[in-house]
Structures are given as structure tokens and as C-alpha cells.
Amino acid sequence: MSLRAHTGIAMRMMMRSYLQTIGFVMFALLVIALSIDLGKTLESLRAKADATDTPLWRLLLPYASYRATDIITRLLGTACVVGGFVAVLLRHLRREDVVLAAAGMSPRVHFSALLAVALVVGSVQFGFQNWLRPMAVKAQIETQLGRYGRWFGAPRLDGQWILNNDMALRVTIIRGDSARLESLKIFEGLSAPTLTRLIEADSALPDPVTGLWDLQNVTLWTQDTGFAPVHADSLTLALPLSASQLQWYDVHGYYLPNAVARDIAQLTGTAVATDAATVLAFRKVALLLPGIFVLLGASLAQTGIKGRRFNAPRLLSLAAVGYLSVVIVKSFLILGINGRIQPELSAALPLAIAFAIACLLQLRHAGYLFRASPVDRKQAS
């Protein structure tokens, strides 16, 4: 079959049907999710508009765009599974698959359409996951709009405990662009029978070159001096905290920009490093996830078609399998964040499982795994 057949009218028609269906499903999910979100946050937006003497629409429109970016990133995978599933059913209702199969169309044309769709939606997901969504989250934090503004917008966090293998800190954290530590109490020697050193300081700033911390107005109690207090104007010390982590302290890795997540991922042996490494691994495979889900949705729908009629119970069970694949991806994300499995494995394994299921269904649909009925072989496309 010539290259032109893979870019001809039939291929473009199938590609357009997939993209239209995915776009419609994504739009429906976006409208529903955005309506629910605005129903919960509209009063707070109105209160902020009144407090700042700003027209409501000037807060509402930017906030809606930020939330839309977040929702699309979260739900595009679901839209791809549902869209691929529904697109195949609609094509069968219009008998397009029957006509094309009777005309001798190779299944490779269908796979070419799926590959083109995968490149389009994968590029969208990759861009949203790696750049647009972190920018939207950062904008919500800076403007203190919505739930992200409530969760992460407060610049001051009092009485925070930070634990390491041999050190514990009780500090007040000032996060954001002017990130710093205040009211420090540092306990060293946790692994020893007794503490080896206690440090109090008024503030601490990170050194961008060495990564160490400059403590100001310091009081020390050490074993060597019999725990007699010793005062010092300053002290340079290594703390189990980086400047990037301090700026985005207590912000889940899923919301971090890539550059910040990479810095935090270098803090090996900590929970925040595992969180950031898992998020980075998932963002790397974001280009593949939508395409695999489209293929899976289309394969599930083809399995549920027999003859001219739809088998409703079978289609419902297959649709549940498609939704379960989305849940599995989210479950592996949680397992990777909590350090139960390696970050790269948590990102790659659920996609490999979904792709393997889709390939097995396509082989079955083509009659290679099980003996297919004449009707199934005629409809294979």
C-alpha cells in the first residue's frame, strides 16, 4: 500500500472523527468540572473583588483560565479513553467501518490515523503537563485565588518541623520569592544516646553558591562545652533543606515547575525528593499517555461490536475497563510518590499494561489470538 493511502481521505476522516470526539468529551468534562469549581469559589472571588475594589470579571476570567488549564491536564487522559471508545461506536453506527472494510482498506490506515491523533493529543498533554499547568498553578498562588491560593498562598508557616536522619529543626518558614527561615531551633545528634548540639538562631538565608545556610544571631549549646550557651553573630551550616524546596515548601510535586522539581529531586533519601522524581517521570511519559489511551479506548469498543447490533452489557463492562486504566495510572502515581516503587517504574508500568491490553485486543480483533467469526473478520479494520 502506497504512502498516499496512509494520508488519504479515509485516514483523515478517521483522524478527524477521533479528534472531534475527544474534543467534545474534553469540553463536556471541562464545563462540568469548571462549573463545580466556580460554584465553590465564586463567593471568595466576589469577596476579594470587593476588598480590592476590582470588577469581578477581572478576577473571574483569569481564574477560570487557570482552572481550565489545570482541569484539561488532569482529565485529558480520561477524555482520550472515552473519545476513542465513542468514536469507534459512532463510526460503526454510520457503517463507515463496514464500507471501508468492503473497499479493502488495510488496518494500517486505521493505525496511521490513531498515530496521528496520538501525536496531536500527546503534544497537547506534554505542553500542559510540563509548562502551562505549573505556570497556571503559580499564578493562582501569587494572586491567592481559589483553593491553590488558600492552600499554598500563605507566605508564613509557623512551627514547622523538618526531620533528617540525625537532625531536627523547628522553624518558621517564609516561602515565596523572599524565602527564608526564622526562629530556628536545631537539634543535632538524634541517632546518639543524647543530643550533641542545640542551636537557636533568629533567621537563616540560603547561600545560592554553596547551598549552605547562613544563620544570624546564633546561640549554641554543645557537649564539648558542657552545654553552656555560646553566642555568635553568624554561623554557616548545612541543613536538610534547599532554597528551591523552601520557596515551594509544603507544595505537592505535582504543582511544581520542572526546574524546581529537578532541584528538589536531588535531595536523595527524602520524601520530597521521591515526590518530585515521580512527578518528573510522569511528565516525561506525558507525550505517550494520551495516544495509548486513545488506542485502548478504540480497541475496547471494537471488542464490544458484534454484527450490526451493540452488545450493551459488554460495552458497559469494556467502558469500565477503560476507566479502570485511568485509575491504575493515578494509583501508580500515588505509589511512586510514597516511595513504594521506583519513580520511572511507576510512570512506565501502567502505560505498558494499557498498551499491552490494547495490542492483545487488536490481535484478537484481527483473529490472530482466537478464532474470530466471519462477521468479526469482515469488520476488522
Side-chain angles (χ1 to χ4, degrees):
M1 183 174 290
S2 66
L3 179 63
R4 184 174 181 180
H6 294 278
T7 58
I9 296 176
M11 180 271 189
R12 295 197 300 269
M13 179 183 64
M14 286 186 287
M15 177 183 173
R16 184 167 58 250
S17 69
Y18 280 117
L19 291 177
Q20 287 176 343
T21 309
I22 293 170
F24 177 80
V25 173
M26 186 68 255
F27 177 76
L29 294 175
L30 176 62
V31 170
I32 295 171
L34 199 57
S35 300
I36 296 173
D37 185 273
L38 290 177
K40 296 179 179 179
T41 59
L42 188 58
E43 288 301 323
S44 62
L45 292 175
R46 184 178 288 113
K48 186 176 180 66
D50 294 339
T52 58
D53 196 21
T54 304
L56 179 60
W57 65 269
R58 289 194 174 181
L59 296 178
L60 183 60
L61 292 182
Y63 174 74
S65 66
Y66 302 150
R67 293 299 301 135
T69 302
D70 185 25
I71 291 168
I72 291 172
T73 307
R74 287 176 176 270
L75 298 182
L76 184 57
T78 304
C80 287
V81 174
V82 177
F85 191 88
V86 174
V88 169
L89 298 183
L90 292 177
R91 287 179 54 232
H92 185 70
L93 279 175
R94 296 190 295 263
R95 299 294 183 261
E96 292 177 7
D97 53 349
V98 177
V99 172
L100 293 174
M105 186 193 75
S106 170
R108 288 177 292 180
V109 177
H110 185 205
F111 294 141
S112 298
L114 287 171
L115 178 60
V117 172
L119 291 175
V120 173
V121 293
S123 299
V124 172
Q125 178 77 347
F126 190 80
F128 272 71
Q129 189 76 270
N130 285 273
W131 296 292
L132 294 180
R133 186 176 187 274
M135 291 170 56
V137 172
K138 183 179 180 181
Q140 290 180 71
I141 294 174
E142 291 176 346
T143 56
Q144 296 189 1
L145 295 175
R147 60 178 182 174
Y148 293 158
R150 293 193 303 272
W151 292 349
F152 312 131
R156 184 182 183 90
L157 300 174
D158 294 313
Q160 300 295 310
W161 282 96
I162 301 173
L163 302 179
N164 197 15
N165 294 331
D166 199 48
M167 181 184 294
L169 291 79
R170 190 178 191 276
V171 297
T172 295
I173 294 177
I174 309 298
R175 58 187 180 184
D177 295 333
S178 58
R180 64 187 183 277
L181 300 176
E182 294 182 352
S183 304
L184 290 86
K185 289 185 178 180
I186 304 173
F187 306 88
E188 294 184 353
L190 299 183
S191 59
T194 60
L195 294 177
T196 57
R197 187 163 66 164
L198 171 63
I199 304 172
E200 285 191 358
D202 289 346
S203 62
L205 290 172
D207 189 322
V209 178
T210 63
L212 301 176
W213 292 80
D214 296 324
L215 282 63
Q216 302 297 320
N217 194 17
V218 181
T219 303
L220 299 92
W221 293 264
T222 64
Q223 278 185 344
D224 297 337
T225 61
F227 289 102
V230 177
H231 180 76
D233 293 334
S234 62
L235 177 67
T236 301
L237 190 66
L239 298 179
L241 193 69
S242 69
S244 298
Q245 183 186 356
L246 179 61
Q247 184 180 3
W248 294 83
Y249 184 81
D250 204 28
V251 177
H252 194 286
Y254 194 61
Y255 309 113
L256 298 177
N258 281 351
V260 177
R262 281 191 287 267
D263 289 341
I264 295 177
Q266 295 176 2
L267 301 173
T268 55
T270 62
V272 291
T274 304
D275 181 10
T278 301
V279 169
L280 290 172
F282 269 83
R283 289 178 180 177
K284 289 178 182 178
V285 301
L287 185 66
L288 303 176
L289 184 145
I292 292 175
F293 276 2
V294 174
L295 175 62
L296 178 61
S299 303
L300 290 170
Q302 287 176 323
T303 305
I305 295 174
K306 269 195 174 294
R308 293 174 176 261
R309 297 180 179 226
F310 291 147
N311 187 330
R314 175 189 264 187
L315 287 174
L316 288 175
S317 61
L318 290 170
V321 172
Y323 180 74
L324 182 62
S325 66
V326 179
V327 175
I328 289 175
V329 171
K330 297 183 183 297
S331 300
F332 272 85
L333 173 62
I334 295 173
L335 290 173
I337 288 173
N338 290 295
R340 301 300 181 184
I341 56 178
Q342 292 296 320
E344 292 76 13
L345 185 62
S346 68
L349 188 57
L351 296 189
I353 293 173
F355 184 69
I357 293 174
C359 290
L360 289 174
L361 291 176
Q362 287 295 330
L363 290 173
R364 180 186 183 280
H365 184 64
Y368 291 108
L369 291 183
F370 306 99
R371 181 174 296 179
S373 64
V375 175
D376 288 341
R377 288 196 295 269
K378 182 179 180 181
Q379 290 178 349
S381 58

